């Protein structure tokens, strides 16, 4: 193995969380201690590596390890996760999956602090939905991008009844513990908001459809109109 391959091998091991022992590496690669330390120095002094990672040495264990500087600040992740938990809009498994991914994007030495700050918030988490939301978000996002007509069965919680409709999804927004989808109904020539977790048996058509401009409701305006319907929301918004 040449020096470049060896350096890449060592780097990948460290990026995967392995702690490096110089003596072990000299035996593994059949090179001197000086050579391994030179390899580690090459990694440490690499501009791309140093911009995103730190190399640490534990004198007691005599081992080198790598920590991540993170691609997002811990306070930003904390805010995002606090909002997600409060929304109750995701099943617990989806919330934990997102939380784990966001925690991985934070600097290594900040992750344990965030876990402590989030424990009391998430340990008694109760979801407002009974189905996975992320696959539905993905499916509707594709339909919105490609302007695909869909046929769907919808379970109306207000009337406790199910019915079929056809339309073109226009946008997704969030309100009151649930994601909503704005859909332009072709036969009725109108745009209606549907609760995302109440959709059933969605079938995507093969052709795209250009919705009339006057039927493409502005999400910001929709949300503002909802505040007008609920005075408590309006007061809360104006006090910010």
């Amino acid at each position: 193995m040449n020096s470049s391959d060896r350096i890449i091998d060592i780097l990948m091991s460290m990026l995967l969380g392995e702690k490096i022992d110089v003596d072990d590496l000299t035996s593994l690669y059949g090179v001197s201690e000086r050579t391994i330390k030179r390899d580690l120095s090459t990694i440490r002094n690499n501009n791309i590596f140093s911009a995103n990672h730190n190399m640490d040495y534990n004198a007691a264990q005599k081992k080198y390890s790598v920590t991540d500087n993170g691609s997002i600040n811990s306070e930003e992740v904390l805010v995002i996760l606090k909002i997600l938990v409060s929304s109750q809009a995701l099943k617990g498994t989806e919330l934990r999956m997102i939380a784990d991914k966001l925690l991985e994007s934070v600097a290594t030495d900040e992750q344990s602090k965030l876990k402590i700050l989030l424990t009391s918030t998430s340990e008694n988490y109760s979801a407002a939905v009974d189905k996975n939301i992320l696959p539905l978000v993905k499916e509707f996002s594709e339909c919105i991008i490609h302007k695909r007509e869909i046929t769907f069965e919808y379970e109306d919680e207000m009337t406790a009844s199910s019915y079929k409709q056809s339309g073109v999804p226009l946008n997704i927004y969030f309100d009151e513990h649930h994601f909503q989808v704005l859909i332009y109904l072709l036969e009725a020539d109108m745009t209606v908001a549907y609760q995302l977790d109440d959709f059933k048996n969605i079938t995507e058509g093969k052709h795209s459809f250009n919705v009339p401009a006057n039927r493409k409701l502005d999400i910001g305006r929709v949300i503002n109109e909802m505040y007008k319907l609920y005075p408590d929301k309006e007061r809360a918004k104006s006090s910010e």
Side-chain angles (χ1 to χ4, degrees), residues 6-184:
R6 186 178 60 249
I7 289 172
I8 293 173
D9 203 33
I10 294 172
L11 173 60
M12 291 306 298
S13 296
M14 298 179 76
L15 289 176
L16 291 173
E18 186 176 337
K19 295 182 178 180
I20 298 300
D21 183 293
V22 173
D23 291 337
D24 290 342
L25 294 184
T26 58
S27 299
L28 177 64
Y29 296 111
V31 295
S32 67
E33 177 181 333
R34 181 178 179 181
T35 297
I36 294 298
K37 288 186 175 180
R38 186 169 61 244
D39 290 346
L40 293 173
S41 179
T42 299
I43 295 172
R44 183 189 294 109
N45 295 326
N46 179 275
N47 291 333
I48 298 176
F49 174 84
S50 60
N52 298 282
H53 301 85
N54 293 311
M55 185 181 294
D56 304 316
Y57 178 69
N58 187 311
Q61 298 178 354
K62 296 182 179 180
K63 290 185 177 182
Y64 292 86
S65 62
V66 163
T67 55
D68 196 310
N69 292 336
S71 57
I72 183 171
N73 295 331
S74 59
E75 60 270 22
E76 294 170 338
V77 169
L78 181 62
V79 167
I80 292 170
L81 290 178
K82 287 286 187 178
I83 292 173
L84 279 178
V85 170
S86 300
S87 75
Q88 299 178 282
L90 300 171
K91 289 188 68 176
T93 51
E94 291 188 317
L95 177 65
R96 287 190 292 273
M97 180 185 69
I98 292 174
D100 289 342
K101 289 183 177 180
L102 285 173
L103 285 172
E104 289 176 358
S105 68
V106 176
T108 305
D109 58 358
E110 293 289 323
Q111 293 179 12
S112 59
K113 301 176 186 177
L114 274 176
K115 289 178 182 179
I116 294 173
L117 291 170
L118 291 167
T119 298
S120 60
T121 305
S122 58
E123 60 184 3
N124 296 315
Y125 177 76
S126 177
V129 297
D130 58 4
K131 64 174 64 173
N132 290 326
I133 296 301
L134 295 180
L136 288 169
V137 170
K138 180 179 180 180
E139 183 173 6
F140 275 99
S141 295
E142 290 295 323
C143 293
I144 291 169
I145 291 171
H146 298 293
K147 302 178 181 179
R148 299 293 190 191
E149 177 190 355
I150 63 170
T151 300
F152 60 91
E153 183 178 353
Y154 186 77
E155 188 172 3
D156 193 327
E157 292 183 352
M158 298 294 291
T159 62
S161 61
S162 296
Y163 54 86
K164 289 186 177 181
Q165 287 279 16
S166 294
V168 182
L170 300 176
N171 218 324
I172 300 173
Y173 68 98
F174 173 80
D175 184 70
E176 290 296 320
H177 305 304
H178 297 275
F179 285 93
Q180 312 286 337
V181 182
L182 287 177
I183 296 183
Y184 172 68

Side-chain angles (χ1 to χ4, degrees), residues 215-233:
R215 294 294 185 262
K216 296 179 181 180
L217 302 184
D218 178 81
I219 291 298
R221 182 175 299 174
V222 170
I223 294 174
N224 287 335
E225 289 299 320
M226 293 181 66
Y227 275 106
K228 293 179 182 179
L229 292 175
Y230 300 98
D232 288 341
K233 285 186 178 182

Side-chain angles (χ1 to χ4, degrees), residues 203-218:
T203 303
E204 183 179 344
K206 296 181 179 179
H207 304 291
S208 60
F209 185 91
N210 289 317
V211 176
N214 62 345
R215 294 294 185 262
K216 296 179 181 180
L217 302 184
D218 178 81

